[in-house]
Amino acid sequence: MGFPANGSSEKTALKFLIYGRTGWIGGLLGKLCEGQGIEYVYGSGRLENRSSLEADIAAVNPTHVFNAAGVTGRPNVDCCESHKVETIRTNVAGTLTLADVCRDKGLVLINYATGCIFEYDSGHPLGSGVGFKEEDTPNFIGSFYSKTKAMVEDLLKNYENVCTLRVRMPISSDLSNPRNFITKITRYEKVVNIPNSMTILDELLPISIEMAKRNLTGIWNFTNPGVVSHNEILEMYRDYIDPKFTWKNFTLEEQAKVIVAPRSNNELDATKLKTEFPQLLSIKDSLIRYVFQPNRKTPVAA
């Protein structure tokens, strides 16, 4: 599905307005734009302040808007449990306000959302290979963060100008970044071992820019095809990065004793994204190509 936005003409020079300057994805987007020669400006307005968003758009006159801002919690989503109003203000009210302003201005909004709104169930059992599709109704609201994200995703379905990208457990080649899923689990004392869908940013963020160029909208499972477990990732880390690395596992029941809110575990069906972008690598191949062997000259076969 596409949207006839202001930036739809091939003769129109691209100019992106990006929200989330201080965030991980927002920062990477800026670097990608520089690499591709795309003009971009970081928004200075507050998402929940409509007039400040309108002022940004008037000043920048963008062809597309990207939203990489939001409350994810530091150091993790447990923080949202004790900061509920702040989470609502940004993740719900702010995101909806930005979508509404963009619609009024005829602009596509690329919104980086989350796929942590699903949990393995009887229709999508762990290990079955049956993933949740874009049209499936979220079934996980165990954390306040996920609850707000599921809520806003449902409301955004009514905005034909929004491209919702369900990101999961994001990973990049920068293993020093504390937001990187790999970096996180290498620093944990113990980890659970559950297969999950994940997002390799080095491969998928450039695809999100291409999605903007195509004015694609609607909901997209923004993950690499397939699943990978915590142990499989840590085995790769040991084999490629640190031969002396070791780790310990614990059960979900044991994990529950040391976290405030439950965590989501699921497989998302990436067929829609793979159909649009056939070159998209499976999660394990993408991990090797972009994270563990980034200097490899030829991609791993998908």
Side-chain angles (χ1 to χ4, degrees):
M1 180 180 179
F3 182 73
N6 291 343
S8 60
S9 172
E10 293 182 1
K11 297 180 181 179
T12 303
L14 293 170
K15 188 174 186 180
F16 295 164
L17 174 59
I18 302 172
Y19 288 91
R21 176 200 297 266
T22 60
W24 183 23
I25 289 178
L28 290 175
L29 273 176
K31 293 178 181 178
L32 283 172
C33 288
E34 290 172 7
Q36 294 188 26
I38 298 173
E39 187 176 0
Y40 73 98
V41 176
Y42 283 113
S44 58
R46 301 289 298 177
L47 293 189
E48 64 272 19
N49 186 326
R50 187 182 186 92
S51 61
S52 70
L53 300 181
E54 292 173 334
D56 279 347
I57 290 174
V60 176
N61 192 28
T63 58
H64 301 80
V65 179
F66 288 74
N67 180 31
V71 175
T72 58
R74 295 292 178 91
N76 55 52
V77 296
D78 283 344
C79 184
C80 296
E81 303 297 319
S82 56
H83 295 78
K84 292 184 176 180
V85 171
E86 294 92 331
T87 302
I88 292 172
R89 186 176 294 142
T90 301
N91 291 358
V92 182
T95 302
L96 290 173
T97 300
L98 181 59
D100 198 62
V101 170
C102 287
R103 184 178 185 276
D104 280 353
K105 304 299 181 181
L107 294 167
V108 165
L109 170 64
I110 305 294
N111 184 52
Y112 297 96
T114 183
C116 294
I117 51 179
F118 294 98
E119 182 68 43
Y120 288 118
D121 62 15
S122 59
H124 310 80
L126 189 156
S128 67
V130 179
F132 290 93
K133 298 180 182 296
E134 281 78 3
E135 60 270 21
D136 287 334
T137 301
N139 67 349
F140 177 79
I141 53 173
S143 70
F144 192 73
Y145 167 79
S146 292
K147 184 176 182 178
T148 62
K149 288 293 190 176
M151 184 185 307
V152 78
E153 180 183 282
D154 184 56
L155 293 171
L156 285 176
K157 290 178 184 177
N158 299 289
Y159 284 84
E160 72 277 14
N161 62 310
V162 176
C163 181
T164 295
L165 304 181
R166 291 173 173 167
V167 176
R168 285 218 73 226
M169 298 178 171
I171 292 170
S172 83
S173 54
D174 180 7
L175 296 178
S176 66
N177 192 308
R179 308 296 290 174
N180 191 331
F181 180 74
I182 295 178
T183 308
K184 285 182 179 180
I185 63 174
T186 58
R187 295 178 179 178
Y188 289 161
E189 182 178 350
K190 295 180 180 180
V191 298
V192 293
N193 182 38
I194 302 176
N196 272 283
S197 287
M198 301 185 190
T199 302
I200 307 299
L201 296 177
D202 301 67
E203 181 174 17
L204 284 165
L205 280 188
I207 284 178
S208 69
I209 290 178
E210 180 59 32
M211 295 175 84
K213 293 177 181 178
R214 299 182 189 183
N215 291 322
L216 297 176
T217 57
I219 296 173
W220 298 76
N221 287 336
F222 203 58
T223 59
N224 293 85
V227 294
V228 63
S229 70
H230 295 59
N231 280 7
E232 286 174 318
I233 288 179
L234 293 176
E235 286 166 2
M236 288 183 184
Y237 182 84
R238 179 196 61 202
D239 294 344
Y240 288 100
I241 307 297
D242 183 3
K244 297 182 180 179
F245 181 77
T246 61
W247 67 95
K248 296 179 181 179
N249 289 130
F250 65 162
T251 65
L252 283 173
E253 291 74 21
E254 291 170 325
Q255 182 195 50
K257 297 177 182 178
V258 297
I259 57 177
V260 176
R263 301 293 193 262
S264 162
N265 294 288
N266 66 56
E267 177 174 355
L268 299 183
D269 187 322
T271 301
K272 180 180 177 181
L273 190 66
K274 177 74 172 178
T275 301
E276 185 73 26
F277 299 94
Q279 75 275 18
L280 181 64
L281 295 179
S282 69
I283 182 61
K284 293 176 184 177
D285 286 345
S286 192
L287 275 166
I288 294 172
R289 170 67 180 87
Y290 290 97
V291 180
F292 294 117
Q293 288 188 311
N295 296 321
R296 188 186 183 100
K297 293 185 182 297
T298 56
V300 177

